[in-house]
Amino acid sequence: MLRVLRPKGRTQEAKARLAARVLELILDHLEDVPDRRVHISVEVRDLDSTYRSDRTEAS
């Protein structure tokens, strides 16, 4: 399962479009594997107000 977290304020339609596009991109990059079944799901959620992030440049 891939969760996509976005800041609050997106409409349900925008979240649905984003989820569909992310799923499409994943499927475009997967190779067929004989005798295997792959299940992919995408969920778009609003970020919780407690979410924090930091970007640190690698040295």
Side-chain angles (χ1 to χ4, degrees):
M1 172 184 272
L2 172 65
R3 287 196 176 121
V4 179
L5 301 175
R6 298 288 305 164
K8 289 184 180 182
R10 303 295 193 272
T11 65
Q12 291 297 344
E13 293 80 16
K15 291 177 194 177
R17 285 193 309 270
L18 177 59
R21 183 66 182 127
V22 169
L23 182 59
E24 183 180 316
L25 286 169
I26 293 169
L27 292 172
D28 286 348
H29 289 88
L30 280 181
E31 295 181 17
D32 288 334
V33 179
D35 302 319
R36 298 286 181 202
R37 180 179 294 196
V38 176
H39 178 84
I40 301 165
S41 61
V42 178
E43 178 182 14
V44 178
R45 291 185 173 191
D46 290 332
L47 287 172
D48 184 90
S49 63
T50 60
Y51 177 82
R52 299 294 180 266
S53 178
D54 179 43
R55 290 187 179 168
T56 304
E57 295 293 324
S59 13

